[in-house]
Amino acid sequence: MNLSGNLGPNPHSLEVEDLESFDRLVSAGAVHLQGWHAQSLDLRGRSAVLDGLDVAGALFMGCTFDDGVEDGLRRRGALIFPRLAGVPFNPYRSTLYTPGELYAGLAEARYEDLPDARIYQWSIQPGLRHRVDATLASALHDHAIGDALEELAASPPWSGRRMVGVMGGHAAQRGSEDYAAAARLGRLLAQNGFSVATGGGPGAMEAANLGAYLSQADDGALPAALDMLAAVPGFRPSVSAWARAAAAVVERYPGGTPSLGIPTWFYGHEPPNYFATAIAKYFANAIREAILLELCQGGIVFLPGAAGTIQEIFQDACENYYGAREKVTPMVLVGRRHWEHEYPAWPLLRTMAAGRAMEERIFLVDTVDDAVALLRG
């Protein structure tokens, strides 16, 4: 799996993503830094150490140095990607986002003044796509997010569980039956040993992350959380009030089960939800959608939705249609009336699958309980 957009793993490179790792490697006797990729390190105060190292072939991305050090490193063969001025995010970050990071200051400030909103506003500035520095910043950022996501997927508890995606309409309102069903789905999936991944936004996505988050809490926690959230049904007219209601649930039930959200600033009108504990937020929506499908080797559950969900159904179907038998993953559509009559994706999906390896891996069910039973086998 290659989520970072590079050409594949390089056995001769070494990712150095925190200062402790840098110091430990140097203390252990490292002298030659060829192949080192140092990412967002504050190396001020380490000029003497750097002077004693062979830095030819090393890559420093967004690192901070004492005055005059950068020129010397370049002369000795290091490649330096500088910190980019005027960019409201770190293009070289080494970890995924958390809700607390994207919503930093939520208790006191409006959403429009928080990091998530500021980044979106930066991304839609007129003429930004024609500026090399801005294009480079967003591309480097998405590469870094992909790299961090790949590391997450390979580490516990994620590596020991099959990941199941939940896709559905962003319009499902808190307090509705559709929202409650999506929350129940997330809870059941997590309780049955799956990791839950969503598009990271509101509606059914938020509900599925909520259900996963509270999967190990007592049986009364989810109904209580749903009641708390119902006071603010949607993110319009106030994202601030919507997010604060979610933050209150997290404060009441801290330390929930991890789940993943993969949203995008391309859809700036959809804020990220507060219940995905790890957030891989991208600028490029096409990359984000492809990565979400690639991650969900346990299958994808499609809840009732409209245009966006239909697009995701057939993007997944296309991969399964052309994929080798061993690469086909389950597709479970929930809601017979919705997918047969209101938005009749199921008849076309079934026709496409006829005679293909995917034919036995597509399902139409009535309830989320049925969906989990199918995936559990």
Side-chain angles (χ1 to χ4, degrees):
M1 182 165 56
N2 175 20
L3 307 178
S4 58
N6 55 29
L7 299 178
N10 183 347
H12 303 295
S13 65
L14 175 65
E15 303 286 340
V16 184
E17 298 174 339
D18 57 76
L19 199 56
E20 292 75 18
S21 296
F22 178 88
D23 290 338
R24 185 176 63 253
L25 288 164
V26 172
S27 296
V31 175
H32 303 285
L33 272 58
Q34 182 172 0
W36 282 35
H37 296 173
Q39 202 164 328
S40 294
L41 303 186
D42 186 350
L43 293 169
R44 289 174 295 184
R46 287 168 173 77
S47 301
V49 172
L50 291 168
D51 285 344
L53 298 172
D54 179 359
V55 297
L59 177 61
F60 295 92
M61 298 177 287
C63 295
T64 306
F65 305 95
D66 291 325
D67 292 342
V69 171
E70 285 190 31
D71 288 341
L73 292 174
R74 288 192 182 95
R75 286 195 301 270
R76 291 158 53 207
L79 179 61
I80 299 177
F81 279 74
R83 298 173 67 88
L84 299 173
V87 176
F89 56 90
N90 179 6
Y92 309 106
R93 60 179 301 118
S94 59
T95 61
L96 300 183
Y97 292 100
T98 65
E101 183 178 1
L102 290 175
Y103 285 103
L106 176 64
E108 304 84 18
R110 303 178 310 149
Y111 168 72
E112 290 76 13
D113 299 323
L114 305 186
D116 185 67
R118 293 202 308 270
I119 295 172
Y120 172 63
Q121 290 301 322
W122 173 87
S123 75
I124 59 172
Q125 292 179 71
L128 196 71
R129 296 187 181 186
H130 301 290
R131 286 172 39 190
V132 173
D133 60 335
T135 302
L136 179 63
S138 57
L140 286 168
H141 170 276
D142 283 4
H143 174 91
I145 290 295
D147 192 39
L149 185 53
E150 192 162 356
E151 291 183 9
L152 178 87
S155 63
W158 308 88
S159 58
R161 293 172 165 232
R162 284 187 296 162
M163 188 170 289
V164 171
V166 177
M167 299 185 180
H170 70 270
Q173 293 280 287
R174 296 167 172 174
S176 69
E177 291 184 8
D178 284 346
Y179 189 94
R184 176 172 171 77
L185 172 62
R187 179 175 168 87
L188 287 172
L189 286 170
Q191 288 178 334
N192 281 274
F194 296 104
S195 290
V196 174
T198 77
M205 295 172 281
E206 179 190 51
N209 286 125
L210 166 67
Y213 181 83
L214 294 176
S215 60
Q216 301 306 311
D218 63 73
D219 290 342
L222 183 56
L226 291 173
D227 286 343
M228 292 174 65
L229 294 170
V232 187
F235 61 91
R236 294 188 178 97
S238 173
V239 177
S240 305
W242 176 82
R244 286 175 187 140
V249 171
V250 171
E251 184 176 358
R252 179 171 175 178
Y253 301 102
T257 299
S259 70
L260 177 65
I262 309 183
T264 173
W265 279 293
F266 181 80
Y267 294 126
H269 62 285
E270 289 188 9
N273 79 69
Y274 215 91
F275 300 113
T277 57
I279 301 176
K281 191 155 191 179
Y282 287 85
F283 288 101
N285 183 53
I287 295 175
R288 163 250 194 176
E289 289 182 338
I291 286 173
L292 183 54
L293 292 178
E294 183 176 350
L295 276 173
C296 296
Q297 295 304 304
I300 296 179
V301 179
F302 297 93
L303 298 172
T309 309
I310 293 169
Q311 175 187 332
E312 290 160 347
I313 288 173
F314 288 103
Q315 186 172 347
D316 192 17
C318 183
E319 295 195 7
N320 281 335
Y321 184 89
Y322 290 109
R325 182 175 297 274
E326 61 272 15
K327 298 290 288 183
V328 174
T329 55
M331 301 177 63
V332 185
L333 279 61
V334 178
R336 290 183 183 275
R337 177 173 179 76
H338 186 87
W339 294 121
E340 286 187 318
H341 301 289
E342 296 178 18
Y343 291 92
W346 174 252
L348 178 54
L349 181 62
R350 185 175 55 187
T351 300
M352 285 178 56
R356 310 289 298 190
M358 66 184 287
E359 186 173 17
E360 297 178 357
R361 308 302 301 276
I362 63 169
F363 307 94
L364 177 64
V365 299
D366 286 314
T367 69
V368 297
D369 299 77
D370 297 334
V372 175
L374 278 170
L375 293 172
R376 189 176 59 225

